[in-house]
Amino acid sequence: VQLQASGGGLVQAGGSLRLSCAASGRTFGSYAVGWFRQAPGKEREFVAAISWSGGSTYYADSVKGRFTISRDNAKNAVYLQMNSLKPEDTAVYYCAAGDSPAGKVYEYPYWGQGTLVTVSS
């Protein structure tokens, strides 16, 4: 499966952005999808994940209540709605697909290229 993330940009603190992860491949609907982010000089970290059906979602404590992950398997897409953005949310955001909605980078074999989110104060 091939993934492509989009929707990043520059936004002021308190603003919102919606990231999209478009997938190719007929089996996309059988994969869990995670969003991760990597800020300059930092390790890639877990943001959110969703099960293959969309019935289960998981969030990092730092984004809980502000970000929402969702998916539309008919469109081969996963979304990350980001509200109340903070400067510390600035990072390159990546989507990834794997067998389960896990929180570890190594559990996702398929990765898209990142999309940059910059939140100004």
Side-chain angles (χ1 to χ4, degrees), residues 28-84:
F28 174 72
S30 65
Y31 288 103
V33 174
W35 282 98
F36 290 77
R37 66 187 182 187
Q38 188 165 17
K42 294 187 176 181
E43 293 187 351
R44 194 168 297 188
E45 65 174 6
F46 170 75
V47 175
I50 190 167
S51 62
W52 68 270
S53 67
S56 297
T57 57
Y58 306 88
Y59 298 93
D61 288 343
S62 59
V63 307
K64 202 170 293 183
R66 300 188 297 122
F67 291 11
T68 302
I69 188 171
S70 61
R71 70 188 297 161
D72 185 341
N73 286 340
K75 296 183 178 180
N76 273 9
V78 172
Y79 308 101
L80 186 67
Q81 178 67 42
M82 306 187 296
N83 299 329
S84 302

Side-chain angles (χ1 to χ4, degrees), residues 86-101:
K86 305 175 181 179
E88 51 263 45
D89 293 319
T90 295
V92 177
Y93 283 71
Y94 300 87
C95 60
D99 290 334
S100 62

